[in-house]
Amino acid sequence: MASVYEKAGKWYLRWKGPDGRWRDQVSTTRSKTEARRLAGELERRAERQRLGLEPLPTDTSMTLGRLCEWWLRERCPRSSVYRERSRLRRHILERPLGALPLTTVTAAPIEERQREMERAGLARSYVNGLRRVLHTVFAEPKCAYVTLRAEGAPSARCRA
């Protein structure tokens, strides 16, 4: 259920988003009643999106592979580019996982890939290295894939 709270003289809205996670957002409303109404609308829209009645508000053309390639070009430390490019190419980019739209990437397909790697006899430390790199790919730019422009460059809001 959506809720509101006041912080530093502003009303914040709290609701469960289309992915099932709680979201907080500052609003420009002047009263608690107005903020409650707005939070309720946001939660109803998110529920319709969860049920598939409305489209999700994300760029579905961005794939995990494109995000990894962008990260290698723009964010990966120079001394690690060769090693990480090789690791991502072998285990993400040249696999069906790399073609997945970011909207469908969850922990499940990544964990499945890691189990495949373990069954193939790869060392646990190597598998954990892929996990670390993928975590960094998603966490490095705080704006992640949401604000990546179509040409693959981060928007001005991303930290350099």
Side-chain angles (χ1 to χ4, degrees):
M1 183 172 144
S3 63
V4 297
Y5 58 95
E6 188 178 15
K7 184 175 173 183
K10 296 183 184 243
W11 287 103
Y12 283 77
L13 315 173
R14 184 166 172 79
W15 77 100
K16 202 174 269 194
D19 58 358
R21 294 181 181 166
W22 285 100
R23 306 284 172 99
D24 293 284
Q25 181 177 342
V26 68
S27 74
T28 58
T29 60
R30 302 221 183 267
S31 68
K32 186 175 185 176
T33 305
E34 215 179 324
R36 278 185 181 158
R37 181 189 55 75
L38 187 56
E41 287 177 18
L42 288 170
E43 189 165 64
R44 282 188 293 280
R45 184 176 68 191
E47 184 176 7
R48 287 191 304 270
Q49 290 171 342
R50 264 194 311 273
L51 296 172
L53 301 174
E54 282 187 26
L56 292 171
T58 56
D59 174 17
T60 58
S61 67
M62 179 66 76
T63 64
L64 178 58
R66 279 188 60 208
L67 180 64
C68 289
E69 289 167 355
W70 172 84
W71 179 81
L72 286 165
R73 264 193 331 272
E74 304 292 331
R75 301 288 187 188
C76 185
R78 296 257 183 245
S79 60
S80 303
V81 170
Y82 179 80
R83 179 181 61 246
E84 301 308 345
R85 182 179 310 280
S86 175
R87 183 191 325 252
L88 288 170
R89 181 181 43 77
R90 183 175 179 196
H91 300 292
I92 302 295
L93 301 175
E94 293 179 352
R95 302 281 177 163
L97 187 58
L100 286 178
L102 286 178
T103 55
T104 63
V105 175
T106 61
I110 293 171
E111 288 173 357
E112 177 57 33
R113 177 65 192 130
Q114 291 171 334
R115 281 191 293 275
E116 289 172 8
M117 292 167 66
E118 288 173 353
R119 284 191 296 266
L122 294 173
R124 188 79 177 132
S125 60
Y126 187 81
V127 175
N128 283 335
L130 179 65
R131 179 182 292 123
R132 176 190 46 79
V133 169
L134 287 175
H135 174 78
T136 305
V137 166
F138 279 102
E140 177 74 18
K142 293 298 180 188
C143 52
Y145 66 89
V146 176
T147 56
L148 282 174
R149 294 189 300 237
E151 65 268 20
S155 73
R157 293 188 323 167
C158 287
R159 62 184 171 90

